[in-house]
PDB file of all heavy atoms in Angstrom:
ATOM      1  N   ASN O 136      -8.142  16.001  12.957  1.00 83.00           N
ATOM      2  CA  ASN O 136      -6.693  16.267  12.767  1.00 83.00           C
ATOM      3  C   ASN O 136      -6.074  16.987  13.935  1.00 83.00           C
ATOM      4  O   ASN O 136      -6.788  17.255  14.989  1.00 83.00           O
ATOM      5  CB  ASN O 136      -6.582  16.940  11.421  1.00 83.00           C
ATOM      6  CG  ASN O 136      -7.064  18.399  11.453  1.00 83.00           C
ATOM      7  OD1 ASN O 136      -7.929  18.712  12.296  1.00 83.00           O
ATOM      8  ND2 ASN O 136      -6.624  19.104  10.567  1.00 83.00           N
ATOM      9  N   TYR O 137      -4.900  17.419  13.734  1.00 80.00           N
ATOM     10  CA  TYR O 137      -4.137  18.116  14.878  1.00 80.00           C
ATOM     11  C   TYR O 137      -4.763  19.253  15.564  1.00 80.00           C
ATOM     12  O   TYR O 137      -4.787  19.440  16.664  1.00 80.00           O
ATOM     13  CB  TYR O 137      -2.691  18.309  14.320  1.00 80.00           C
ATOM     14  CG  TYR O 137      -2.702  19.613  13.414  1.00 80.00           C
ATOM     15  CD1 TYR O 137      -2.251  20.905  13.881  1.00 80.00           C
ATOM     16  CD2 TYR O 137      -3.007  19.438  12.075  1.00 80.00           C
ATOM     17  CE1 TYR O 137      -2.285  21.875  13.039  1.00 80.00           C
ATOM     18  CE2 TYR O 137      -2.983  20.631  11.208  1.00 80.00           C
ATOM     19  CZ  TYR O 137      -2.571  21.780  11.750  1.00 80.00           C
ATOM     20  OH  TYR O 137      -2.582  22.866  10.883  1.00 80.00           O
ATOM     21  N   ASN O 138      -5.421  19.992  14.648  1.00 82.00           N
ATOM     22  CA  ASN O 138      -6.112  21.285  15.236  1.00 82.00           C
ATOM     23  C   ASN O 138      -7.708  21.148  15.327  1.00 82.00           C
ATOM     24  O   ASN O 138      -8.374  22.096  15.528  1.00 82.00           O
ATOM     25  CB  ASN O 138      -5.778  22.456  14.360  1.00 82.00           C
ATOM     26  CG  ASN O 138      -6.299  22.418  12.924  1.00 82.00           C
ATOM     27  OD1 ASN O 138      -6.820  21.370  12.610  1.00 82.00           O
ATOM     28  ND2 ASN O 138      -5.924  23.409  12.108  1.00 82.00           N
ATOM     29  N   ARG O 139      -8.121  19.932  15.017  1.00 82.00           N
ATOM     30  CA  ARG O 139      -9.530  19.487  15.168  1.00 82.00           C
ATOM     31  C   ARG O 139     -10.386  20.279  14.186  1.00 82.00           C
ATOM     32  O   ARG O 139     -11.671  20.388  14.322  1.00 82.00           O
ATOM     33  CB  ARG O 139     -10.000  19.653  16.633  1.00 82.00           C
ATOM     34  CG  ARG O 139      -9.307  18.980  17.554  1.00 82.00           C
ATOM     35  CD  ARG O 139      -9.939  19.042  19.060  1.00 82.00           C
ATOM     36  NE  ARG O 139      -9.113  18.173  19.915  1.00 82.00           N
ATOM     37  CZ  ARG O 139      -9.267  16.949  20.093  1.00 82.00           C
ATOM     38  NH1 ARG O 139     -10.255  16.265  19.468  1.00 82.00           N
ATOM     39  NH2 ARG O 139      -8.539  16.209  20.973  1.00 82.00           N
ATOM     40  N   GLU O 140      -9.870  20.858  13.100  1.00 87.00           N
ATOM     41  CA  GLU O 140     -10.702  21.593  12.124  1.00 87.00           C
ATOM     42  C   GLU O 140     -11.111  20.569  11.016  1.00 87.00           C
ATOM     43  O   GLU O 140     -12.176  20.936  10.400  1.00 87.00           O
ATOM     44  CB  GLU O 140      -9.893  22.658  11.524  1.00 87.00           C
ATOM     45  CG  GLU O 140      -9.624  23.855  12.541  1.00 87.00           C
ATOM     46  CD  GLU O 140      -8.809  25.078  11.766  1.00 87.00           C
ATOM     47  OE1 GLU O 140      -8.651  24.943  10.605  1.00 87.00           O
ATOM     48  OE2 GLU O 140      -8.650  26.029  12.496  1.00 87.00           O
ATOM     49  N   LEU O 141     -10.484  19.506  10.859  1.00 88.00           N
ATOM     50  CA  LEU O 141     -10.785  18.474   9.832  1.00 88.00           C
ATOM     51  C   LEU O 141     -10.782  17.076  10.361  1.00 88.00           C
ATOM     52  O   LEU O 141     -10.357  17.086  11.542  1.00 88.00           O
ATOM     53  CB  LEU O 141      -9.855  18.633   8.592  1.00 88.00           C
ATOM     54  CG  LEU O 141      -9.741  19.935   7.902  1.00 88.00           C
ATOM     55  CD1 LEU O 141      -8.586  19.884   6.909  1.00 88.00           C
ATOM     56  CD2 LEU O 141     -11.045  20.272   7.197  1.00 88.00           C
ATOM     57  N   THR O 142     -11.184  16.153   9.654  1.00 87.00           N
ATOM     58  CA  THR O 142     -10.911  14.792  10.071  1.00 87.00           C
ATOM     59  C   THR O 142      -9.996  14.047   9.156  1.00 87.00           C
ATOM     60  O   THR O 142      -9.825  14.441   7.947  1.00 87.00           O
ATOM     61  CB  THR O 142     -12.308  14.049  10.157  1.00 87.00           C
ATOM     62  OG1 THR O 142     -12.872  14.037   8.818  1.00 87.00           O
ATOM     63  CG2 THR O 142     -13.241  14.645  11.068  1.00 87.00           C
ATOM     64  N   GLU O 143      -9.445  12.952   9.749  1.00 89.00           N
ATOM     65  CA  GLU O 143      -8.468  12.222   8.801  1.00 89.00           C
ATOM     66  C   GLU O 143      -8.640  10.748   9.184  1.00 89.00           C
ATOM     67  O   GLU O 143      -9.086  10.397  10.273  1.00 89.00           O
ATOM     68  CB  GLU O 143      -7.045  12.715   9.100  1.00 89.00           C
ATOM     69  CG  GLU O 143      -6.550  12.423  10.599  1.00 89.00           C
ATOM     70  CD  GLU O 143      -5.223  13.000  10.783  1.00 89.00           C
ATOM     71  OE1 GLU O 143      -4.747  13.824   9.989  1.00 89.00           O
ATOM     72  OE2 GLU O 143      -4.559  12.620  11.842  1.00 89.00           O
ATOM     73  N   PRO O 144      -8.302   9.779   8.281  1.00 91.00           N
ATOM     74  CA  PRO O 144      -8.321   8.458   8.576  1.00 91.00           C
ATOM     75  C   PRO O 144      -7.396   8.050   9.709  1.00 91.00           C
ATOM     76  O   PRO O 144      -6.271   8.560   9.830  1.00 91.00           O
ATOM     77  CB  PRO O 144      -7.792   7.768   7.239  1.00 91.00           C
ATOM     78  CG  PRO O 144      -8.019   8.784   6.257  1.00 91.00           C
ATOM     79  CD  PRO O 144      -7.856  10.092   6.802  1.00 91.00           C
ATOM     80  N   LEU O 145      -7.856   7.163  10.603  1.00 89.00           N
ATOM     81  CA  LEU O 145      -7.026   6.700  11.643  1.00 89.00           C
ATOM     82  C   LEU O 145      -5.751   6.028  11.128  1.00 89.00           C
ATOM     83  O   LEU O 145      -4.687   6.241  11.715  1.00 89.00           O
ATOM     84  CB  LEU O 145      -7.828   5.635  12.517  1.00 89.00           C
ATOM     85  CG  LEU O 145      -7.141   5.305  13.752  1.00 89.00           C
ATOM     86  CD1 LEU O 145      -7.074   6.388  14.759  1.00 89.00           C
ATOM     87  CD2 LEU O 145      -7.928   4.013  14.429  1.00 89.00           C
ATOM     88  N   VAL O 146      -5.930   5.342  10.024  1.00 89.00           N
ATOM     89  CA  VAL O 146      -4.743   4.834   9.224  1.00 89.00           C
ATOM     90  C   VAL O 146      -5.263   4.620   7.791  1.00 89.00           C
ATOM     91  O   VAL O 146      -6.377   4.251   7.616  1.00 89.00           O
ATOM     92  CB  VAL O 146      -4.373   3.533   9.853  1.00 89.00           C
ATOM     93  CG1 VAL O 146      -5.451   2.398   9.835  1.00 89.00           C
ATOM     94  CG2 VAL O 146      -3.073   3.020   9.150  1.00 89.00           C
ATOM     95  N   LEU O 147      -4.318   4.852   6.806  1.00 91.00           N
ATOM     96  CA  LEU O 147      -4.740   4.645   5.390  1.00 91.00           C
ATOM     97  C   LEU O 147      -4.907   3.181   5.151  1.00 91.00           C
ATOM     98  O   LEU O 147      -4.043   2.477   5.523  1.00 91.00           O
ATOM     99  CB  LEU O 147      -3.617   5.355   4.553  1.00 91.00           C
ATOM    100  CG  LEU O 147      -3.687   6.905   4.341  1.00 91.00           C
ATOM    101  CD1 LEU O 147      -2.589   7.373   3.543  1.00 91.00           C
ATOM    102  CD2 LEU O 147      -5.044   7.421   3.843  1.00 91.00           C
ATOM    103  N   PRO O 148      -5.939   2.828   4.452  1.00 93.00           N
ATOM    104  CA  PRO O 148      -6.039   1.387   4.074  1.00 93.00           C
ATOM    105  C   PRO O 148      -5.228   0.883   3.076  1.00 93.00           C
ATOM    106  O   PRO O 148      -5.554   0.995   1.910  1.00 93.00           O
ATOM    107  CB  PRO O 148      -7.632   1.315   3.766  1.00 93.00           C
ATOM    108  CG  PRO O 148      -7.865   2.699   3.254  1.00 93.00           C
ATOM    109  CD  PRO O 148      -7.018   3.693   4.011  1.00 93.00           C
ATOM    110  N   ALA O 149      -4.077   0.340   3.377  1.00 91.00           N
ATOM    111  CA  ALA O 149      -3.158  -0.168   2.411  1.00 91.00           C
ATOM    112  C   ALA O 149      -3.486  -1.483   1.887  1.00 91.00           C
ATOM    113  O   ALA O 149      -3.578  -2.401   2.794  1.00 91.00           O
ATOM    114  CB  ALA O 149      -1.692  -0.154   2.937  1.00 91.00           C
ATOM    115  N   LEU O 150      -3.812  -1.718   0.715  1.00 92.00           N
ATOM    116  CA  LEU O 150      -4.227  -3.115   0.147  1.00 92.00           C
ATOM    117  C   LEU O 150      -3.051  -4.027   0.032  1.00 92.00           C
ATOM    118  O   LEU O 150      -3.223  -5.217   0.052  1.00 92.00           O
ATOM    119  CB  LEU O 150      -5.028  -2.878  -1.149  1.00 92.00           C
ATOM    120  CG  LEU O 150      -6.218  -1.915  -1.089  1.00 92.00           C
ATOM    121  CD1 LEU O 150      -6.937  -1.957  -2.350  1.00 92.00           C
ATOM    122  CD2 LEU O 150      -7.228  -2.342   0.024  1.00 92.00           C
ATOM    123  N   LEU O 151      -1.846  -3.368  -0.138  1.00 91.00           N
ATOM    124  CA  LEU O 151      -0.589  -4.187  -0.292  1.00 91.00           C
ATOM    125  C   LEU O 151       0.351  -3.673   0.834  1.00 91.00           C
ATOM    126  O   LEU O 151       0.280  -2.559   1.409  1.00 91.00           O
ATOM    127  CB  LEU O 151      -0.022  -3.925  -1.599  1.00 91.00           C
ATOM    128  CG  LEU O 151      -0.576  -4.456  -2.796  1.00 91.00           C
ATOM    129  CD1 LEU O 151       0.053  -4.073  -4.034  1.00 91.00           C
ATOM    130  CD2 LEU O 151      -0.636  -5.978  -2.726  1.00 91.00           C
TER     131      LEU O 151
END
Side-chain angles (χ1 to χ4, degrees):
N136 69 337
Y137 72 98
N138 62 4
R139 299 182 181 277
E140 292 183 359
L141 301 170
T142 59
E143 63 185 17
L145 187 68
V146 60
L147 283 177
L150 304 184
L151 289 175

